[in-house]
Amino acid sequence: SLPEITSSKRIHMADYVPSGVPFYRGKEVIERAKGNPVSTELFITQAQYQEIKRKFGSPQDGDILLTSVGTLGVPYFVEGDGDFYFKDGNVTWFRNFDPGVVSKYLYYWLTSPETQKRLDEVSIGSTQRALTISALKSLQVQLPSVDDQKSIVDMLDAVTNRITLLRETNATLEAIAQALFKSWFVDFDPVRAKMEGRTPEGMDEATAALFPDGFETSELGEVPRGWVFKPFGALLAHSIGGDWGSEQPEEKNTVRVAIIRGTDIPDLQNGRDNRVPIRYTSEKKLSTRQLQDGDIVIEVSGGSKDQPTGRALYVTDDLLKRFDCPVEPASFCRLFRPVDRATGVLLGQHLRFIYDQGKTWEYQNQSTGIANFQTTHFLEKELVAVPPDSVLNVFSETVRALVDRTVISQIDELSHIRDTLLPRLISGQLQLPEVADAH
């Protein structure tokens, strides 16, 4: 039988405060389940939280939260004392487990393809699907012994923890690249250091010699001597809207392609589930849209009131090798092809920086409920600090080495192993001794 299933106390808009205990809706739970940083504008006071916790309890170590409205069936396993609360109706709370149930095993059971299919089958609603508590209570769980549940959890945790460690390594490499970009191209730290007679920090003598020791005033603002500000569009050799093709081969659409959507960008950057759709397009459209190493895919339509358009993906050969067919951007995205490889590395970091800073909001407009990126305006007005080739090449080589050291392929391989093992272990098709023999 399933454990106690409940929902949280309803919080009213008047209860929200500017800061305090984070108040999660379904989307925050989804981000937390993915291991992504979570930002919320909704909070309740510590006093409110303690009162709710006293009366109703709060998510504790070993509990499970499951999204139950909209994006259904995303489970989150709570580790440690809950430091947040969540909205009634959007998230279902599993707690107070029977002694015969290992809660982490139930979490993995919820993530299995067969259970996900079953959750979809028992959901209700047409325009917006929902999982009711009664529907969840109707589910039957085949439980092995507690010892076997623990062994299965240990095995799946070992792979999951390795994936988490690799993602953290990637995040560190990306942070280093962004820190270098900000230092050189936003704050101009090496130039300011030389102006003050100091040696730029963390830089060898040969590299330091490439930077000027002062600024000059241009029509577009203060810039290091010998550098120029250029519109983003002036640094592109090719730009074109994406494609969507057809679900099945047709008379013109005969070429099988993978099409990257805006929603796929964070997953591809983080080595998460690859849900990029496979479709069919024409040779003519593919000829101008097929992605290659050094290209940039930018999301130009979509977004939400909390998330601007402008998410961007820097394309590498390693990323393209994850697919067994050509790759192109989706129709709500756009292809940017820089004038050369070194400039592409700079533009990729520039786009990531301004997105994280929230600057892409400035290039967005709203029409018919959908946010659109003002591409033409952006290409003309967004300025990029461009140094002499000597500095650009050093930056490009350094950052590209960091990009190429990311371990997305290892994450893909381990994710595939975990996703292959999980349903077979959960269903009992694969016994633990067999797994031990295989390793």
Side-chain angles (χ1 to χ4, degrees):
S1 63
L2 288 170
E4 178 184 340
I5 306 174
T6 187
S7 56
S8 64
K9 174 183 180 294
R10 183 175 295 279
I11 302 291
H12 300 285
M13 188 61 69
D15 295 322
Y16 297 141
V17 293
S19 63
V21 177
F23 187 70
Y24 285 7
R25 296 154 292 181
K27 68 174 188 175
E28 284 86 14
V29 172
I30 291 170
E31 289 305 306
R32 191 149 182 162
K34 288 182 176 182
N36 294 336
V38 176
S39 61
T40 177
E41 298 176 355
L42 304 179
F43 302 90
I44 58 175
T45 67
Q46 185 64 230
Q48 287 172 314
Y49 175 63
Q50 292 302 327
E51 178 66 13
I52 293 170
K53 188 174 180 179
R54 185 182 66 80
K55 288 183 177 180
F56 302 99
S58 66
Q60 301 295 307
D61 187 51
D63 289 355
I64 298 170
L65 306 180
L66 186 76
T67 58
S68 49
V69 175
T71 302
L72 299 179
V74 178
Y76 169 62
F77 186 78
V78 180
E79 297 184 270
D81 188 18
D83 57 353
F84 60 93
Y85 216 73
F86 57 91
K87 189 173 183 179
D88 179 31
N90 290 339
V91 180
T92 305
W93 180 8
F94 294 70
R95 62 179 182 174
N96 298 338
F97 293 88
D98 185 275
V101 178
V102 176
S103 63
K104 191 64 174 290
Y105 176 86
L106 184 62
Y107 161 78
Y108 279 121
W109 176 79
L110 285 165
T111 68
S112 68
E114 184 60 36
T115 304
Q116 287 288 304
K117 179 182 177 183
R118 187 75 183 113
L119 290 174
D120 184 64
E121 290 171 349
V122 301
S123 64
I124 63 171
S126 54
T127 57
Q128 182 162 344
R129 307 294 290 171
L131 286 166
T132 64
I133 289 179
S134 60
L136 289 169
K137 285 183 174 179
S138 72
L139 298 174
Q140 296 294 311
V141 186
Q142 295 289 334
L143 290 174
S145 69
V146 169
D147 285 343
D148 280 352
Q149 289 181 59
K150 289 179 178 177
S151 296
I152 290 171
V153 166
D154 288 344
M155 187 170 300
L156 294 172
D157 272 354
V159 181
T160 299
N161 292 340
R162 176 61 178 160
I163 292 171
T164 299
L165 180 61
L166 292 173
R167 285 183 178 140
E168 290 172 351
T169 300
N170 284 354
T172 299
L173 294 171
E174 291 166 359
I176 292 171
Q178 274 288 282
L180 186 66
F181 169 80
K182 183 175 184 295
S183 176
W184 288 20
F185 294 92
V186 178
D187 298 332
F188 305 121
D189 288 335
V191 180
R192 298 188 190 283
K194 292 182 73 171
M195 285 178 66
E196 297 170 2
R198 296 183 289 108
T199 300
E201 294 182 8
M203 186 177 291
D204 60 53
E205 188 176 332
T207 304
L210 301 176
F211 287 85
D213 59 3
F215 294 86
E216 59 189 14
T217 302
S218 72
E219 293 180 358
L220 302 175
E222 190 177 63
V223 66
R225 281 201 301 267
W227 294 36
V228 293
F229 280 120
K230 289 188 178 181
F232 197 103
L235 300 172
L236 299 180
H238 177 56
S239 175
I240 193 170
D243 183 23
W244 189 233
S246 56
E247 188 174 353
Q248 300 295 331
E250 296 178 354
E251 182 179 353
K252 291 184 178 180
N253 295 339
T254 59
V255 185
R256 183 173 176 270
V257 293
I259 296 188
I260 295 176
R261 304 161 298 179
T263 189
D264 299 316
I265 288 175
D267 290 338
L268 290 171
Q269 288 171 330
N270 298 320
R272 300 194 184 279
D273 295 341
N274 185 348
R275 300 169 296 147
V276 175
I278 302 298
R279 297 178 65 85
Y280 293 84
T281 191
S282 66
E283 291 276 6
K284 183 178 180 180
K285 286 189 175 181
L286 183 63
S287 66
T288 54
R289 293 170 174 82
Q290 182 172 353
L291 295 174
Q292 61 189 41
D293 185 275
D295 283 347
I296 296 169
V297 175
I298 182 168
E299 181 185 37
V300 295
S301 187
S304 68
K305 65 183 181 66
D306 301 313
Q307 174 189 298
T309 52
R311 290 185 292 188
L313 176 70
Y314 179 77
V315 178
T316 64
D317 281 332
D318 280 347
L319 186 146
L320 296 174
K321 287 175 183 175
R322 296 168 69 183
F323 303 93
D324 63 355
C325 58
V327 186
E328 61 179 11
S331 50
F332 278 15
C333 292
R334 192 171 186 89
L335 163 63
F336 285 167
R337 180 161 295 158
V339 292
D340 54 50
R341 177 185 170 106
T343 301
V345 173
L346 174 61
L347 296 184
Q349 293 299 314
H350 183 99
L351 283 169
R352 188 157 196 145
F353 179 78
I354 65 170
Y355 184 83
D356 288 345
Q357 294 294 308
K359 191 180 180 184
T360 58
W361 284 112
E362 299 175 13
Y363 298 107
Q364 182 169 291
N365 61 19
Q366 199 85 17
S367 62
T368 64
I370 297 177
N372 293 303
F373 189 72
Q374 296 175 291
T375 306
T376 301
H377 179 58
F378 170 82
L379 294 178
E380 293 174 353
K381 298 300 182 182
E382 179 61 25
L383 300 178
V384 180
V386 180
D389 288 346
S390 56
V391 175
L392 180 59
N393 289 336
V394 171
F395 175 80
S396 172
E397 290 167 8
T398 304
V399 170
R400 183 57 196 249
L402 293 171
V403 171
D404 289 338
R405 283 178 59 193
T406 55
V407 285
I408 298 297
S409 59
Q410 292 181 45
I411 294 173
D412 278 348
E413 184 178 349
L414 285 170
S415 297
H416 177 72
I417 291 172
R418 181 193 58 191
D419 295 345
T420 301
L421 282 175
L422 191 150
R424 296 176 68 188
L425 288 169
I426 294 295
S427 67
Q429 293 176 337
L430 185 63
Q431 300 301 314
L432 289 173
E434 296 179 42
V435 178
D437 292 342
H439 289 269

